[in-house]
Amino acid sequence: MELSQLPLVLLLISNIYSGHTEETPKPKVTIKPAQHVFRGETVTLRCDINAEGVTSWQYSWYKEDSTGVFSELQEHTFSPVTESDAGKYFCYGAKTDRSRRSHISDEVTLTVSDKAQCRHRAETHDYNRYRSDLLSDSSRGAGGNYTVSSAAPKHTGVYVCRAERGKPAYNTTISNTQLICVTAVIVFSGVSPPVSLIVSPSRTQHFTLVSLSLSCEDQTKSTGWTVRRYRDSWRLEDCSSVWGSQTGSTCTISSTIPYDTGVYWCESESGDKHHPVNITVHFGVILESPVHPVTEGETLTLRCLDQFSTPPNLRADFYKDGSLIQNQTTEMIISNVSKSHEGFYSCKHPERGESPKSWISVTVSHSGSPISVLHTLSSVLAVSPYLLVTVVLIFKCCRMRVSSVEEQETAI
């Protein structure tokens, strides 16, 4: 913080004391247990001033954007700490008789979070089931990370984590949810997955109060597939009369509401899960983006739609990972998509508002290698009869020449 931003009383003190001949100590601020804590913990700020010959100080605590002293203790404790306590703090000291004063300490920043944040596959619970399965534990050396060494479709699920610190232990609230989708690698092109979740209208974001259809399209014509969903309230639900109607392998929501936002997938009677899809129901502006991952080399088209405009297409700004990438256009087209285009996309209209963010995934195409292998194999098989005949003819010719030479030598 610049000197001009400090409270007036500190400015006056600094100006008066700038000409003092004694060495001016500088306080050091510490925060326990850490500068980044979670709501509900006990947090202590401490101001330490080391100066020769001074055993007693009067302390003054200041917070960024505050004009007055909020504490005069060497240690100030927040118990429990809340999000409103987050901010930048600094302290100042003066001798009891005001004959000596300290400098102003450096700022320290206190951050208070409501939830643990899961990043880079640091998930620790799978809430795809009615119960939670503990996957990792820091007491077993996992720390804040959880790694799947050999990912398989069975690891598909909605993951969350929770942190614990101190003795007695303090637990954070459950983190934001994270969908992890693991699909099997298809070696040869033309082989279809057992089932696909078909969403109609075909997009991840949907308006409120409209009809939404989700259908499990089975390539093997088998039965027993049902649509299930998971919402942020930790609820795992089958398509039923409560929120939809199931007909065969199709689930229909007659009138969508924001409550319908969640992860949807197809599940078999044996518990196999396929093609989980994030569905967002939003009032107002939405982003029209593909339901399933885009394959490298394909064309990606995004549109910004408004529930109350006719036609619904808006001329809007488009964002990727929070950064503006194209402005004032009715649709954004990305030709020849690559892995670099993966990210969170959204759109914004200056008057109508902003859409939610949708993750767009890009898959690598493996069709080239199998086609080349098949082509080479078929070519070899096609020419092999001719090669065999040629070898036989050459062998016969060689035998005839050898026999002719032997006959000539015998005659001589």
Side-chain angles (χ1 to χ4, degrees):
M1 179 178 290
E2 296 179 0
L3 193 62
S4 59
Q5 296 176 298
L6 295 176
L8 179 60
V9 63
L10 289 186
L11 282 174
L12 293 174
I13 292 172
S14 298
N15 291 335
I16 293 172
Y17 198 72
S18 60
H20 204 286
T21 57
E22 289 183 315
E23 181 182 354
T24 306
K26 186 172 184 177
K28 181 181 179 181
V29 177
T30 54
I31 302 181
K32 292 184 178 181
Q35 287 186 237
H36 184 186
V37 296
F38 299 98
R39 184 180 64 183
E41 286 192 88
T42 297
V43 180
T44 299
L45 302 176
R46 180 180 174 87
C47 184
D48 286 301
I49 306 174
N50 294 320
E52 187 177 348
V54 181
T55 57
S56 178
W57 292 93
Q58 285 187 335
Y59 298 91
S60 299
W61 281 99
Y62 295 87
K63 185 181 180 183
E64 177 189 35
D65 300 328
S66 176
T67 57
V69 177
F70 73 86
S71 177
E72 295 182 344
L73 301 174
Q74 183 179 13
E75 289 187 346
H76 179 79
T77 300
F78 301 99
S79 182
V81 71
T82 65
E83 286 90 339
S84 63
D85 297 319
K88 296 180 179 179
Y89 292 87
F90 57 94
C91 69
Y92 166 82
K95 198 175 175 181
T96 306
D97 59 4
R98 300 289 175 178
S99 62
R100 194 173 181 187
R101 298 177 175 87
S102 75
H103 282 300
I104 299 163
S105 72
D106 292 332
E107 290 178 340
V108 292
T109 301
L110 175 64
T111 305
V112 182
S113 298
D114 178 34
K115 295 180 178 180
Q117 298 297 317
C118 289
R119 299 184 179 91
H120 307 304
R121 294 183 179 268
E123 303 81 12
T124 55
H125 289 76
D126 180 357
Y127 280 87
N128 254 5
R129 305 168 181 85
Y130 288 105
R131 62 185 178 85
S132 63
D133 294 332
L134 182 64
L135 302 179
S136 72
D137 186 337
S138 60
S139 65
R140 297 199 296 264
N145 300 286
Y146 175 73
T147 302
V148 178
S149 57
S150 298
K154 68 179 181 180
H155 294 114
T156 291
V158 179
Y159 291 76
V160 296
C161 69
R162 183 174 65 183
E164 180 181 295
R165 176 167 57 203
K167 291 183 179 180
Y170 171 80
N171 292 308
T172 69
T173 55
I174 297 297
S175 73
N176 55 305
T177 59
Q178 177 64 53
L179 168 66
I180 300 296
C181 178
V182 183
T183 56
V185 176
I186 306 300
V187 177
F188 293 100
S189 62
V191 179
S192 301
V195 68
S196 299
L197 179 60
I198 307 302
V199 181
S200 181
S202 184
R203 54 177 182 248
T204 58
Q205 296 184 17
H206 299 267
F207 296 126
T208 56
L209 306 178
V210 297
S211 177
L212 174 61
S213 172
L214 304 106
S215 179
C216 297
E217 187 175 274
D218 191 0
Q219 303 296 330
T220 61
K221 306 301 181 184
S222 63
T223 59
W225 292 101
T226 186
V227 176
R228 307 190 81 184
R229 76 178 184 184
Y230 172 88
R231 295 186 295 105
D232 277 344
S233 57
W234 300 4
R235 292 184 63 85
L236 179 64
E237 302 170 328
D238 293 321
C239 182
S240 65
S241 58
V242 176
W243 57 273
S245 58
Q246 180 94 20
T247 303
S249 296
T250 299
C251 179
T252 303
I253 303 175
S254 59
S255 184
T256 55
I257 57 176
Y259 176 89
D260 294 315
T261 295
V263 181
Y264 293 73
W265 66 90
C266 295
E267 187 164 328
S268 68
E269 293 176 342
S270 61
D272 293 332
K273 298 180 286 291
H274 290 276
H275 280 191
V277 172
N278 273 309
I279 296 293
T280 301
V281 178
H282 184 66
F283 182 84
V285 176
I286 65 172
L287 178 73
E288 186 179 69
S289 60
V291 173
H292 300 296
V294 184
T295 304
E296 272 191 328
E298 292 183 347
T299 298
L300 171 64
T301 301
L302 303 176
R303 297 182 182 89
C304 201
L305 309 179
D306 178 40
Q307 188 167 8
F308 306 104
S309 297
T310 305
N313 293 48
L314 294 176
R315 181 174 291 275
D317 298 334
F318 289 84
Y319 295 81
K320 177 179 180 289
D321 298 328
S323 300
L324 179 66
I325 54 176
Q326 194 165 329
N327 61 348
Q328 292 301 296
T329 181
T330 54
E331 62 180 21
M332 190 182 76
I333 300 176
I334 302 176
S335 302
N336 195 23
V337 169
S338 66
K339 288 293 283 185
S340 64
H341 292 113
E342 276 191 338
F344 285 99
Y345 288 79
S346 63
C347 65
K348 184 177 182 180
H349 186 272
E351 297 174 358
R352 299 290 185 178
E354 186 174 4
S355 75
K357 296 179 176 63
S358 280
W359 174 264
I360 292 181
S361 180
V362 178
T363 58
V364 179
S365 174
H366 295 283
S367 60
S369 297
I371 290 176
S372 299
V373 172
L374 289 174
H375 179 73
T376 303
L377 184 61
S378 62
S379 299
V380 171
L381 292 175
V383 301
S384 59
Y386 301 100
L387 290 174
L388 181 61
V389 171
T390 303
V391 170
V392 171
L393 289 174
I394 292 174
F395 178 75
K396 286 188 175 183
C397 288
C398 290
R399 289 294 302 271
M400 290 175 65
R401 289 191 62 184
V402 169
S403 298
S404 177
V405 170
E406 289 177 350
E407 290 175 359
Q408 292 177 5
E409 290 177 349
T410 302
I412 294 174

